[in-house]
């Protein structure tokens, strides 16, 4: 279906490690840290990625190891289990879902996704109790629904299914990350991922209220590791400068994946797609690569020049550096200088 029209997107020898398919034009959360500050535009952009176009992209990228369905909230799309089944039939090894998890607790829904072939889940949970989580995501009752969804997944999954959580670290939750890790480890998730806050979208309007210092975060990570990790539940650190997390190896996920995502060219491309996207050979899609997305709004300062990670590090968010300066960032010496 549609393969002939998209046979040149992209050539077989340039397959990404992973593709992200934005199949949810709506979101039932309203997170204070959302990287998108225009929900109406997000609806227009993602609604253009219809089921048929999504199926075409799955076919065109057959041979890619991983596919993740994401943005805004993919579980609101009724066709999601069918799309997962298609991905399995096409041979994708990892079929993942990025979700707020609220629908996963609906009777039978987690089972439907697992039966369809989904075998990797990244579920957003941003506080250890309902008061904090619900305040951050802007929806009363969201915490209880997400926890119920996680429990439903964990009850139905086999040992090969990876069920992880993602916590966006903000000022209101940074001092409670240990509590959150304890809650999730007690449930038995595969990994608790702490995601550094992205200075984009709504965050730019409330930097001082939302963005914790990296020193604060370092202190909390040290405390969690000093307490000891639970067997079977890893701690992962993502979207953070490597000079900040080098002491926490191997927990720092330096590169989550070289993923590629898409927007429809003849729709209304987002500002991000217009600035960093490139048009597919057939002219129908904007292709966005992870590295170009992650570099948006970041700069490098004087400490970066002598750092071992300078060639691969994206830098520090400009709005953060403007407030805090460069004192926290100590260059990591070359490996030969560490001995």
């Amino acid at each position: 279906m549609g393969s002939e029209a998209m046979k040149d997107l992209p050539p077989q020898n340039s397959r990404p490690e992973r593709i992200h398919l934005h199949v949810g034009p709506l979101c039932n959360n309203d997170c204070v840290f959302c990287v998108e500050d225009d929900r109406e535009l997000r609806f227009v952009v993602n609604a253009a990625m219809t089921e048929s176009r999504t199926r075409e992209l799955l076919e065109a990228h057959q041979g890619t190891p991983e596919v993740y369905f994401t943005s805004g909230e993919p579980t609101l799309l009724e066709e999601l289990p069918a799309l997962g089944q298609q991905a399995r039939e096409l041979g994708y090894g990892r079929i993942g879902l990025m979700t707020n998890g609220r629908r996963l607790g609906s009777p039978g829904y987690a089972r439907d996704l697992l039966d369809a072939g989904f075998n990797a889940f990244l579920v957003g949970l941003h506080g250890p109790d309902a008061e904090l989580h619900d305040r951050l995501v802007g929806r009363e009752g969201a915490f209880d629904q997400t926890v119920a969804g996680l429990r439903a997944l964990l009850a139905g999954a086999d040992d090969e299914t990876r069920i992880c959580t993602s916590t966006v670290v903000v000022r209101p939750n940074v001092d409670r990350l240990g509590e959150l890790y304890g809650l999730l480890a007690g449930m038995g998730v595969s990994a608790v991922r702490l995601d550094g806050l992205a200075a984009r979208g709504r965050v730019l309007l409330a930097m001082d209220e939302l963005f914790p210092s990296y020193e604060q975060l370092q202190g909390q990570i040290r405390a969690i590791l000093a307490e000891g990790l639970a067997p079977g539940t890893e701690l992962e650190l993502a979207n953070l400068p490597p000079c900040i997390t080098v002491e926490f190896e191997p927990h720092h996920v330096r590169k989550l994946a070289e993923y590629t995502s898409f927007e429809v060219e003849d729709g209304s491309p987002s500002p991000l797609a217009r600035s960093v996207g490139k048009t597919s050979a057939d002219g129908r899609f904007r292709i966005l690569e992870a590295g170009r997305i992650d570099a948006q709004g970041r700069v490098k300062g004087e400490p970066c020049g002598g750092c071992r990670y300078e060639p691969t590090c994206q830098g520090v968010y400009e709005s953060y550096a403007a407030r805090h300066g460069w004192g926290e960032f100590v260059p990591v010496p070359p490996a030969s200088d560490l001995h």
Side-chain angles (χ1 to χ4, degrees):
M1 179 188 303
S3 300
E4 182 62 26
M6 298 181 61
K7 60 181 181 300
D8 51 2
L9 177 64
Q12 181 69 39
N13 61 3
S14 63
R15 297 278 181 209
E17 296 176 22
R18 183 166 90 192
I19 60 171
H20 284 190
L21 300 180
H22 294 254
V23 298
L26 298 173
C27 185
N28 50 353
N29 280 352
D30 192 17
C31 299
V32 299
F33 47 76
C34 185
V35 297
E36 300 180 45
D37 55 3
D38 188 339
R39 289 170 73 94
E40 291 184 4
L41 177 60
R42 193 264 307 281
F43 176 85
V44 172
V45 171
N46 287 0
M49 190 62 68
T50 60
E51 180 190 1
S52 62
R53 284 169 167 156
T54 301
R55 290 182 179 277
E56 289 179 20
L57 286 168
L58 283 170
E59 290 187 9
H61 289 81
Q62 187 174 7
T64 299
E66 302 182 10
V67 56
Y68 272 75
F69 296 89
T70 181
S71 184
E73 177 46 46
T75 61
L76 300 182
L77 186 75
E78 294 303 321
E79 298 84 7
L80 183 63
L83 292 172
Q85 183 173 348
Q86 181 187 7
R88 180 176 62 183
E89 292 169 353
L90 289 171
Y92 287 86
R94 175 165 288 184
I95 303 169
L97 177 65
M98 297 179 181
T99 175
N100 63 35
R102 293 176 58 186
R103 191 179 178 187
L104 296 175
S106 299
Y109 188 69
R111 181 75 267 161
D112 289 344
L113 294 179
L114 291 166
D115 289 345
F118 283 91
N119 56 18
F121 296 83
L122 188 64
V123 181
L125 193 69
H126 308 289
D129 58 31
E131 188 281 326
L132 180 55
H133 175 83
D134 291 0
R135 174 158 53 93
L136 292 175
V137 305
R139 291 290 184 266
E140 186 176 351
F143 176 84
D144 291 339
Q145 290 177 333
T146 298
V147 169
L150 278 168
R151 295 193 188 282
L153 271 183
L154 290 162
D158 59 28
D159 292 340
E160 301 302 314
T161 301
R162 185 167 171 80
I163 301 172
C164 305
T165 60
S166 169
T167 299
V168 177
V169 180
V170 290
R171 279 185 178 270
N173 69 13
V174 67
D175 291 332
R176 302 190 64 188
L177 297 178
E179 291 177 64
L180 183 58
Y181 177 84
L183 169 70
L184 293 167
M187 294 173 61
V189 303
S190 305
V192 175
R193 193 174 97 186
L194 305 182
D195 277 301
L197 185 61
R200 297 199 299 268
R202 292 180 175 180
V203 176
L204 291 174
L205 303 176
M207 281 287 293
D208 296 327
E209 293 79 13
L210 290 178
F211 215 120
S213 73
Y214 288 121
E215 288 180 339
Q216 283 180 286
L217 178 53
Q218 284 175 316
Q220 293 303 310
I221 297 168
R222 292 186 191 111
I224 293 172
L225 294 176
E227 189 73 21
L229 298 183
T233 300
E234 185 54 81
L235 180 70
E236 296 181 349
L237 311 174
N239 194 34
L240 296 165
C243 61
I244 295 296
T245 58
V246 66
E247 67 177 282
F248 306 122
E249 301 287 6
H251 305 289
H252 187 197
V253 182
R254 198 166 311 288
K255 187 193 300 182
L256 292 174
E258 287 294 348
Y259 70 86
T260 298
S261 60
F262 309 89
E263 291 184 13
V264 177
E265 181 67 58
D266 61 4
S268 297
S270 66
L272 185 64
R274 288 195 293 268
S275 62
V276 304
K278 55 186 180 182
T279 303
S280 62
D282 64 1
R284 298 176 61 207
F285 290 88
R286 284 285 177 111
I287 304 172
L288 295 87
E289 297 170 343
R292 293 172 64 84
I293 295 172
D294 294 342
Q296 291 299 292
R298 302 202 202 214
V299 295
K300 294 185 179 181
E302 185 176 348
C304 302
C307 182
R308 183 203 322 175
Y309 296 110
E310 194 282 330
T312 56
C313 177
Q314 298 283 13
V316 176
Y317 287 107
E318 183 175 16
S319 51
Y320 182 93
R323 286 169 169 79
H324 297 275
W326 292 92
E328 293 174 286
F329 306 99
V330 179
V332 182
S336 60
D337 294 346
L338 296 178
H339 303 290

